[in-house]
Amino acid sequence: MSSYRDTSLKQVSARDTDWDGVRLHVVTGKGGTGKSTTAAALALALAAGGRRVLLTEVEGRQGIAQLFDCPPLPYEERKVAVAPDGGDVYALAVDPEEALLEYLQMFYNLRQAGRALTKLGVVDFATAIAPGLRDVLLTGKAAEAVRRRTGEVRSYDAVVMDAPPTGRIARFLNVNAEVAGLARVGPIHTHAEQVMKVIRSPETAVHFVTLLEEMPVQETVDGIEELRRLGLPAGGVVINMVRPSRLDKRTLDAAAKGRLDPAELALGLKAAGLEAGLDTSGDTVQALLDELADHATRINLERRERRKLARLGVPSYDLPLLPDGMDLGGLYRLAAQLRAQGAA
């Protein structure tokens, strides 16, 4: 499941998924791991084959607009991409202020009064003295999209949330349980209970994005363990920016221990037509030996971190490092990889 395969979305549109029945995919990860990119790629993968998927972001960075090369998103659902076989990806940048106005209208019929309160700064004041309120509104919007129907048909086949980083994710998702405990009756209690019912259900999975480096892997391990303690649904692990090793184990071990034969390397260089191969003590050969030693050390460290992730007992998926950087074509390529490995 973690092997890298270059397969098109169309070729694998009918394959089984590890997350059959999951409709809310929450994507988190340490900063710099490619969390938002992975969330966007997952939304494309889920939409392949004619499905409708909503991709939401909650941090106000307009990262979705940048990834799909479109204007900044307003607080409304807009189509941003078409997946192979006719699937559609819609996107929404959730704004806490607009979400609060929607909430006031839904439960208290106070939308106009809410706008007046906004002008007075009361909304900012309320979210400042009750920080959990902001997260309740943000998670509530995703949960509402999961439940929403048009007649007998669900509005979206799946919802993907580009969520806060790993260090905040457990508190972010569990805030509704805290609010429901504080407000034991009334609309706020009911709303929080409905949101937690979605988040704790088999319809939700929280996926972690990581690199094969010590700090992001440890945050992933800690984050999944915390979710499990709280009874929240841990999903899979997406290992991003994977760089393949082109050396066999014997050569890697020798390189890591500094035991590669300079003369053998020089002969290889000569066979490739490089003049540097004529001088086994030259700077070029030594520089290559140093590079090989660094590469071997990195590969061994990555394998150690991969073993830590394997002990979590959750599905894992590899996404390649794109040498040319991220663009829309790269996003589709990552989506194909996720789908080929059973993530969507």
Side-chain angles (χ1 to χ4, degrees):
M1 203 165 11
S2 60
S3 61
Y4 169 62
R5 286 169 285 173
D6 190 9
T7 312
S8 74
L9 281 170
K10 184 172 289 188
Q11 288 174 316
V12 294
S13 60
R15 71 163 291 138
D16 292 334
T17 170
D18 295 330
W19 308 105
D20 187 33
V22 171
R23 300 191 57 249
L24 175 58
H25 297 263
V26 180
V27 180
T28 185
K30 180 176 170 59
T33 59
K35 168 178 69 71
S36 296
T37 300
T38 302
L42 179 59
L44 274 173
L46 289 164
R51 306 176 82 211
R52 285 170 55 93
V53 174
L54 177 65
L55 173 61
T56 70
E57 65 176 6
V58 299
E59 296 184 282
R61 294 185 292 105
Q62 288 291 339
I64 294 175
Q66 296 174 37
L67 285 167
F68 287 99
D69 194 23
C70 64
L73 297 170
Y75 184 63
E76 63 181 46
E77 295 156 21
R78 288 194 174 180
K79 185 175 174 179
V80 294
V82 176
D85 301 328
D88 294 324
V89 176
Y90 290 77
L92 171 68
V94 184
D95 176 77
E97 184 176 289
E98 290 293 334
L100 179 57
L101 294 177
E102 189 174 60
Y103 175 85
L104 291 173
Q105 171 63 28
M106 185 181 303
F107 289 103
Y108 298 101
N109 197 28
L110 289 176
R111 188 174 187 86
Q112 294 305 316
R115 292 197 179 279
L117 292 174
T118 299
K119 294 178 181 179
L120 295 172
V122 175
V123 172
D124 291 337
F125 176 73
T127 54
I129 63 172
L133 175 60
R134 180 181 183 277
D135 291 347
V136 167
L137 297 169
L138 296 175
T139 54
K141 187 61 181 176
E144 181 274 326
V146 169
R147 298 192 308 267
R148 192 191 312 159
R149 291 177 177 271
T150 303
E152 297 298 318
V153 180
R154 293 185 184 274
S155 297
Y156 292 103
D157 296 293
V159 177
V160 178
M161 180 196 294
D162 179 10
T166 309
R168 281 215 311 123
I169 190 63
R171 175 67 190 276
F172 174 76
L173 293 175
N174 201 49
V175 68
N176 288 279
E178 298 176 9
V179 169
L182 292 173
R184 297 190 176 276
V185 294
I188 294 177
H189 174 84
T190 302
H191 175 72
E193 285 280 295
Q194 288 174 344
V195 173
M196 285 311 298
K197 185 176 180 181
V198 172
I199 290 176
R200 291 186 185 276
S201 77
E203 288 190 310
T204 296
V206 184
H207 308 298
F208 287 73
V209 183
T210 187
L211 307 179
L212 288 174
E213 298 172 3
E214 187 173 3
M215 286 187 63
V217 166
Q218 190 58 52
E219 283 202 15
T220 297
V221 171
D222 293 343
I224 288 179
E225 289 177 348
E226 187 174 10
L227 288 187
R228 286 170 171 169
R229 284 196 300 271
L230 294 172
L232 297 173
V237 172
V238 179
I239 304 172
N240 200 14
M241 303 184 201
V242 174
R243 294 168 289 189
S245 173
R246 305 188 186 280
L247 302 178
D248 58 44
K249 187 178 186 305
R250 182 187 67 81
T251 305
L252 277 173
D253 289 343
K257 296 173 182 177
R259 294 178 181 173
L260 287 178
D261 184 356
E264 185 179 351
L265 178 59
L267 286 174
L269 292 171
K270 185 177 181 179
L274 299 175
E275 292 299 322
L278 298 176
D279 181 8
T280 60
S281 62
D283 293 340
T284 301
V285 171
Q286 188 56 51
L288 285 172
L289 289 171
D290 292 342
E291 284 288 331
L292 285 169
D294 290 343
H295 173 74
T297 299
R298 178 179 61 80
I299 292 297
N300 287 332
L301 290 173
E302 289 181 351
R303 287 175 175 173
R304 182 190 69 191
E305 299 306 317
R306 194 181 283 276
R307 287 193 293 271
K308 291 181 184 177
L309 294 171
R311 287 195 288 270
L312 292 169
V314 300
S316 67
Y317 315 94
D318 283 8
L319 291 181
L321 175 68
L322 300 180
D324 298 327
M326 177 53 60
D327 57 15
L328 194 55
L331 202 59
Y332 276 83
R333 183 181 174 192
L334 296 183
Q337 290 303 312
L338 289 171
R339 195 158 178 84
Q341 295 173 65

